[in-house]
Amino acid sequence: DWPEIRALYLNSLASACLEMGDVDNALKNYEKIALLTYGRYGWGDLYARSFYNLGKIYEQKGLKSKAAENYGKFISLWKDCEAKFRPLVDDARKRLAALKSP
């Protein structure tokens, strides 16, 4: 069913775009994941990580407020994550703090 696998498809496409250096298309695909409604239930991890990836891309592009917003969303979604995912949340917190410091 397309709505159920859309997040998986978009995430694979975004990752491939990043690997090829096509940051703009990666950004577009991660933004599509962040807008999903039904697909986020089946692929909640990809939905949450899309905000982390968006934060990194916006940070790379120098868009600090958008980067901070997306890191904040990611942290909010994964604040109570399993220990194995904690390094990703810690990295997002570190990046967010750096964006907010003068």
Side-chain angles (χ1 to χ4, degrees):
D1 188 321
W2 172 243
E4 290 182 11
I5 64 167
R6 189 161 189 222
L8 181 61
Y9 167 77
L10 291 170
N11 186 69
S12 296
L13 188 56
S15 295
C17 288
L18 277 181
E19 285 183 31
M20 294 179 357
D22 189 353
V23 177
D24 292 331
N25 275 320
L27 177 67
K28 289 176 186 176
N29 285 295
Y30 285 126
E31 286 174 337
K32 288 177 185 177
I33 294 170
L35 293 173
L36 290 178
T37 52
Y38 182 73
R40 76 176 70 167
Y41 295 108
W43 299 96
D45 60 325
L46 300 181
Y47 171 74
R49 279 191 274 172
S50 71
F51 293 109
Y52 175 77
N53 290 319
L54 285 168
K56 287 178 68 175
I57 293 171
Y58 285 130
E59 185 178 1
Q60 179 183 345
K61 289 180 159 286
L63 301 169
K64 292 182 178 186
S65 64
K66 284 190 153 207
E69 177 186 341
N70 282 280
Y71 286 137
K73 287 178 182 178
F74 172 72
I75 293 165
S76 176
L77 289 168
W78 269 23
K79 64 183 176 282
D80 298 322
C81 68
E82 296 176 30
K84 67 182 177 181
F85 299 118
R86 181 66 48 199
L88 205 56
V89 175
D90 292 342
D91 183 60
R93 283 191 172 118
K94 182 179 88 176
R95 290 172 178 273
L96 181 58
L99 288 168
K100 290 184 175 183
S101 68

